[in-house]
Amino acid sequence: MPRALITGITGQDGSYLTELLLEQGYQVHGVVRRTSSLDRSRLHDLYHDPNVYGKSLFLHYAELDDATTFRRVLGTASPDEIYHLAGQSHVGLSFEIPESTCKMTGMATLRLLEMIQDQEKVPRFFHAASSEIFGKPAELPQNEKTPFKPVNPYGASKAFATNMVSIYRNTFGVFGVNGIMFNHESPRRGENFVTRKICRAAAAIKLGKQNELLLGDTSAKRDWGHARDYVRGMWLSLQHTTAEDYVFATGHLHSVQDVVDTAFKTVNLNPGDYVRQDQRFMRPTEPQRLVGDPTKAKRLLNWEPSTSFHDMIEEMTQIEMKRLDGEYVKD
Ligand code: G4F
């Protein structure tokens, strides 16, 4: 039974990846922060399933900046594969807490690379890198060779971590993979990211539970795919014979306004009646034209996104309607 260790297991990607790895017959170990509550988390069902928790799924308390406890978890879990997904992942917030963003996103990755090198059996290592490393890119679409030009503290810390993974791979032979993840969303997305915020608001307004939706720059564009597809890419990348970097993206750009239009159309409302711009949600700088070229992932891993932008936003909005109506949704 292969053994995997996931940092950030309670997040959107961590929960989908856990389900995938359990289906593939893995024993899954997850690192959770002491402050995390599992009860209302995305792992709730698995955590409360006596056939799963304590049998094929194990959770360990540890902080990424506490090497002693993390080393202990590594010893207990003895993983064949590590999926490093944890970190401060909100770009806007990274302007407010740049130091801790760099500590949690950049330095924590380096610390992990150092620790795994000391293991008797060195596990394969997946790092969730980000399209934010490209910032204001010189070429369109971006691929694995596009130079890094981050424009915010989050992107800069991810660029540092991505470089470190390459350095440990090229210098010390670690099987380290950077998955350069473009935006990926789902009904499990955190509420402060724009797609979930919009889908939730459209549903809440429809149900009379909210009056308006305040947003920042609605002309901003992103390459948005479904998180379920992207975690499959993570897993596939560690099964390949060689350690490589991969862009995971759809190759299609949509604006925040497109998200608004699709979500409000799903609930038959006119967005112009409810959506307002609010300076508080504008960012000091915006990355530009972040759109990925997933050709390499397709060629080497046979990876392709399977859910369209339209279907994803529709699904997210419909699930919000059910949730706000008090229905339990296993998404
Ligand atoms: O949903 P967002 O906050 O995602 P962002 O900044 O693109 O970052 C996400 O994707 C990256 C790439 O995969 C990850 F590295 C990162 O960790 C995170 O998962 O914002 C998307 C766009 C931005 O241009 C933002 O300025 O939406 C714009 N926006 C407009 N109004 C807003 C809002 N974003 C948020 N969060 N809230 C708003 O009200």
Side-chain angles (χ1 to χ4, degrees), residues 89-91 130-132 154 181-184 189 192-195 197 214-217 220 222 224 256 281 283 286:
S89 64
H90 198 277
V91 173
S130 162
S131 52
E132 288 288 333
Y154 172 79
M181 317 304 284
F182 281 64
N183 295 52
H184 47 288
R189 191 55 148 145
N192 54 353
F193 293 94
V194 80
T195 53
K197 180 177 170 180
L214 303 177
L215 289 174
D217 183 359
R222 289 289 186 281
W224 276 292
V256 173
F281 299 109
R283 296 183 183 168
E286 279 284 349

Side-chain angles (χ1 to χ4, degrees), residues 13 16-17 28 36 47 69 95 125 134 142 168 181 189 200 228 235 264 286 296 313 328 331:
D13 296 0
Y16 281 122
L17 182 62
V28 178
S36 308
Y47 182 57
T69 47
F95 282 105
F125 185 79
F134 299 128
Q142 295 87 50
Y168 276 64
M181 317 304 284
R189 191 55 148 145
R200 190 171 175 77
R228 207 182 284 117
W235 174 67
F264 278 72
E286 279 284 349
K296 182 177 175 187
I313 299 300
Y328 174 74
D331 47 42

Side-chain angles (χ1 to χ4, degrees), residues 30-212:
V31 181
V32 285
R33 307 179 74 185
R34 286 230 166 260
T35 46
S36 308
S37 159
L38 291 165
D39 255 343
R40 283 183 304 144
S41 81
R42 301 165 178 95
L43 287 184
H44 175 276
D45 290 3
L46 292 173
Y47 182 57
H48 288 283
D49 184 338
N51 293 319
V52 176
Y53 192 65
K55 296 205 164 66
S56 49
L57 173 66
F58 301 84
L59 298 176
H60 309 271
Y61 284 114
E63 303 292 329
L64 285 183
D65 55 3
D66 180 343
T68 316
T69 47
F70 201 88
R71 215 180 278 280
R72 204 173 294 140
V73 173
L74 266 183
T76 311
S78 185
D80 303 294
E81 297 171 9
I82 297 183
Y83 296 87
H84 175 40
L85 315 181
Q88 192 302 96
S89 64
H90 198 277
V91 173
L93 191 60
S94 80
F95 282 105
E96 287 164 44
I97 52 166
E99 273 190 48
S100 56
T101 299
C102 290
K103 206 169 83 177
M104 288 188 278
T105 305
M107 284 306 290
T109 307
L110 171 57
R111 192 173 296 117
L112 276 182
L113 287 163
E114 270 296 306
M115 274 189 262
I116 65 170
Q117 271 218 100
D118 297 342
Q119 301 297 302
E120 212 170 290
K121 170 186 82 180
V122 181
R124 293 187 167 198
F125 185 79
F126 175 89
H127 168 235
S130 162
S131 52
E132 288 288 333
I133 60 177
F134 299 128
K136 284 199 163 48
E139 60 190 13
L140 183 107
Q142 295 87 50
N143 61 37
E144 294 78 8
K145 296 200 171 99
T146 303
F148 301 171
K149 265 189 144 189
V151 293
N152 51 56
Y154 172 79
S157 65
K158 275 288 181 196
F160 169 84
T162 306
N163 278 329
M164 282 299 165
V165 172
S166 307
I167 289 168
Y168 276 64
R169 178 174 66 216
N170 298 332
T171 314
F172 305 116
V174 169
F175 193 106
V177 168
N178 287 304
I180 305 172
M181 317 304 284
F182 281 64
N183 295 52
H184 47 288
E185 319 293 310
S186 77
R188 299 183 193 177
R189 191 55 148 145
E191 286 173 23
N192 54 353
F193 293 94
V194 80
T195 53
R196 175 88 190 275
K197 180 177 170 180
I198 293 168
C199 297
R200 190 171 175 77
I205 292 169
K206 181 72 180 179
L207 294 170
K209 297 183 181 211
Q210 189 172 324
N211 298 323
E212 60 178 359

Side-chain angles (χ1 to χ4, degrees), residues 259-320:
V259 181
V260 168
D261 292 342
T262 310
F264 278 72
K265 188 160 181 250
T266 306
V267 294
N268 288 319
L269 288 177
N270 172 21
D273 297 337
Y274 305 98
V275 180
R276 316 263 170 270
Q277 193 166 74
D278 188 317
Q279 276 302 116
R280 284 175 301 166
F281 299 109
M282 303 290 280
R283 296 183 183 168
T285 53
E286 279 284 349
Q288 278 169 15
R289 303 183 307 160
L290 293 184
V291 58
D293 172 5
T295 304
K296 182 177 175 187
K298 163 84 178 136
R299 185 165 45 84
L300 295 189
L301 307 177
N302 200 20
W303 179 87
E304 268 183 307
S306 68
T307 311
S308 72
F309 169 82
H310 180 271
D311 288 354
M312 178 177 75
I313 299 300
E314 211 175 65
E315 176 203 355
M316 288 174 70
T317 310
Q318 280 160 351
I319 285 185
E320 292 303 336

